[in-house]
Amino acid sequence: MKKKIVSLFLVGAMVAATAVGCGSVKTDNEAGGSSDKAEKAAGKDAYADDIKIAFLPNVIGDSCAAAWAEGMESYLNNFSNVTFDVYDGEASVDTEVQIMDELINQKYDAIILQATDAAGLASSVDKAEAAGIPVITCNLDADTTHAGLVAGVDVEAGEKIAEAIGESLGGEGKVVIISATPGATKGENIDKGFKAVMEETYPNIEILDEQSGEWLTENANTVMTDFLTKYSEIDAVLCHNDAMAEGAAEAVKAAGREMQVWGVDGESKMLEYIEQGLCTGTVYTNAQTQGVACAQFAMYAIETGSLASTLSETPVVKMAPVVVTADNVAEITEDMRW
């Protein structure tokens, strides 16, 4: 059994480091490391030694964070030697930095982090890795090399939504964007994919405005209300997550306006909004499965001693994207919803 589980970890690492093409692993000898460093690379026995893993999301009340944590816990419950703790980043860079310091001081064996700001958490990630604690980022990356990233689709999500909007509008129209917290890699990448398709394929679709909703439903509702007051014609709104799309949809409904409303994530409430006709579509990711992948990655890093110092760049695993609209929302069955 032990060999079978280790093999699963190795397959995950191979996918992360080679199949995706976003990361590569170099050995200590290749990196010019010492024999002492090679000894440390053995890591812990993931099936016998006491292990502590922490999950630090951007904010614990978010439905994505809850689903990730559920997936992580469901997997780690298979190991009686593993303690799993969840902390609340409170949507604050300063809070996450402070908690990261505490986790390092408490000598956790691995940290799974949803970085509120890619640059703002980079030094904390470096500090953890230097202390021998592998960091796995979940969905929101850190702007420094670390043990691994399990990402939802971001650039691809932006591209797919742009294609859907562009085709449905016949290549002409006006759109607005309610974006993520400034500095969030996921939001930047969604924008990158969306705007590239618009510029290259649909140059007659105008992006009227873009404002941050900071991932929150209430903030997005306020931003969308302002957009509706400011612009008499809006054909579609792109939101960088479903929570903001839900807030935007409520503002559109309250104003008696009609337009496409798109989100990214595929949470249960968003799927219900699509079924009710309040929202147009989302790009679905199974967040619980993503949480499982994060936990597997963390256990692999603990077992092998995989750290930033042994990597040339961060290995990446990407979840499969599914564009969901009223046409196929029924295919996301209850057991797939989170």
Side-chain angles (χ1 to χ4, degrees), residues 102-284:
E102 293 172 0
L103 298 178
I104 294 167
N105 290 336
Q106 292 176 35
K107 302 186 186 315
Y108 273 81
D109 295 291
I111 299 170
I112 302 172
L113 170 69
Q114 184 195 16
T116 298
D117 182 277
L121 270 297
S123 61
S124 295
V125 171
D126 286 340
K127 189 183 297 185
E129 292 273 351
I133 303 172
V135 177
I136 309 298
T137 47
C138 178
N139 223 48
L140 298 182
D141 198 8
D143 193 16
T144 187
T145 301
H146 51 285
L149 162 66
V150 182
V153 290
D154 36 40
V155 175
E156 298 89 342
E159 291 171 344
K160 290 179 179 295
I161 292 171
E163 290 164 359
I165 291 174
E167 183 176 349
S168 65
L169 295 180
E172 295 187 1
K174 301 180 186 296
V175 302
V176 293
I177 300 173
I178 302 180
S179 58
T181 301
T185 306
K186 179 183 177 182
E188 292 174 350
N189 285 340
I190 292 172
D191 255 13
K192 179 180 178 181
F194 185 82
K195 291 176 180 177
V197 170
M198 286 300 179
E199 290 172 5
E200 296 170 12
T201 310
Y202 301 106
N204 292 328
I205 293 181
E206 180 184 359
I207 298 176
L208 294 172
D209 209 335
E210 178 171 1
Q211 297 292 329
S212 173
E214 299 181 332
W215 301 115
L216 301 175
T217 301
E218 297 80 5
N219 290 16
N221 185 279
T222 299
V223 171
M224 193 68 215
T225 299
D226 291 342
F227 283 162
L228 293 168
T229 301
K230 188 175 180 180
Y231 303 106
S232 60
E233 181 184 351
I234 301 174
D235 298 296
V237 53
L238 163 66
C239 300
H240 286 176
N241 73 347
D242 286 345
M244 293 192 294
E246 293 154 13
E250 293 294 346
V252 171
K253 179 181 178 182
R257 301 269 289 270
E258 292 187 5
M259 65 191 65
Q260 296 185 40
V261 179
W262 284 84
V264 178
D265 285 331
E267 64 180 36
S268 292
K269 188 174 181 180
M270 181 62 169
L271 300 180
E272 292 171 4
Y273 271 45
I274 293 171
E275 290 168 335
Q276 296 166 14
L278 295 173
C279 288
T280 307
T282 187
V283 178
Y284 168 85

Side-chain angles (χ1 to χ4, degrees), residues 59-71:
V59 58
I60 194 59
D62 180 78
S63 57
C64 285
W68 291 324
E70 184 176 337

